[in-house]
Amino acid sequence: MFKYKISFLAICLVIILALNANAQDDLQKGKDAINRGDYLTAVDVLSKAVATKQNYDTYYYYGYALYKTGSLAKAEENLKKALVQDDEGIDAMIALGNLYSDQKKYDEANSLFKKGLKIEPESINLMIAQAQNFSQQGKIDEAIKSLTLATTISKENPKVYVGLGDAYRI
């Protein structure tokens, strides 16, 4: 009887490890698809990953791919789940903030960006996202202030200067 219990536990462990490895493989395939700009493939692959492994990475990348394909409600749901898993997940904050900004929920977006900047005060990507939110809201002076601060942190980042150029053009 004891041998059967050990065998059963060993089989269960092998199944669990196989599912976890498959989820990691799907996560990597999804990330690769995102890096190629193939968001539809990413959504397909990452939906499998999130079904077998619920963690920050699977929720974030799945939510990001959904956002890029225009599935905003599902994207918001998954990005929020990512932030439940890691409430300091900067990438999820940026993606969710950008989603809110696109929906003209500027205050919600800005509160996410402010929260992120308290966690990572020198995050250029957060500053750029916040500046874009300010620009979309018509707060050009705030956008310029945010991007000017970013230039003091990173003088080499071309996105900062593109953002400043866009803000001054408006």
Side-chain angles (χ1 to χ4, degrees):
M1 185 64 143
F2 183 71
K3 285 184 179 180
Y4 293 119
K5 286 182 182 180
I6 297 287
S7 297
F8 177 74
L9 289 174
I11 291 170
C12 288
L13 182 63
V14 167
I15 291 171
I16 290 169
L17 290 174
L19 287 174
N20 191 31
N22 192 37
Q24 284 300 101
D25 188 42
D26 285 340
L27 177 61
Q28 188 58 51
K29 287 178 185 175
K31 288 166 70 172
D32 292 343
I34 286 172
N35 290 334
R36 290 191 312 271
D38 186 1
Y39 300 111
L40 292 174
T41 298
V43 166
D44 183 48
V45 172
L46 291 166
S47 68
K48 296 172 192 164
V50 85
T52 55
K53 188 166 186 170
Q54 296 81 31
N55 63 21
Y56 174 83
D57 286 336
T58 56
Y59 284 130
Y60 163 68
Y61 285 106
Y62 185 48
Y64 182 79
L66 287 164
Y67 169 58
K68 289 303 217 174
T69 60
S71 299
L72 301 184
K74 286 182 74 175
E76 180 178 359
E77 175 187 329
N78 281 278
L79 291 168
K80 284 181 176 180
K81 287 179 180 179
L83 289 171
V84 167
Q85 296 290 317
D86 179 2
D87 65 347
E88 294 185 355
I90 298 300
D91 291 330
M93 284 183 204
I94 292 171
L96 186 57
N98 288 337
L99 185 150
Y100 286 152
S101 189
D102 290 349
Q103 294 176 328
K104 300 185 182 349
K105 297 178 182 176
Y106 302 119
D107 291 337
E108 291 177 55
N110 198 42
S111 67
L112 277 170
F113 299 141
K114 280 183 180 178
K115 178 181 177 183
L117 286 167
K118 285 181 183 174
I119 297 164
E120 283 190 33
E122 295 188 359
S123 171
I124 298 298
N125 290 333
L126 270 168
M127 290 178 194
I128 291 170
Q130 184 181 48
Q132 288 170 337
N133 182 56
F134 284 140
S135 291
Q136 289 179 0
Q137 194 174 2
K139 295 182 176 180
I140 305 307
D141 290 341
E142 292 294 320
I144 291 169
K145 189 186 309 181
S146 182
L147 290 167
T148 302
L149 175 61
T151 63
T152 65
I153 295 166
S154 174
K155 295 190 183 314
E156 298 84 32
N157 193 320
K159 291 180 182 179
V160 174
Y161 295 101
V162 169
L164 274 169
D166 289 345
Y168 279 112
R169 221 177 353 174
I170 295 175

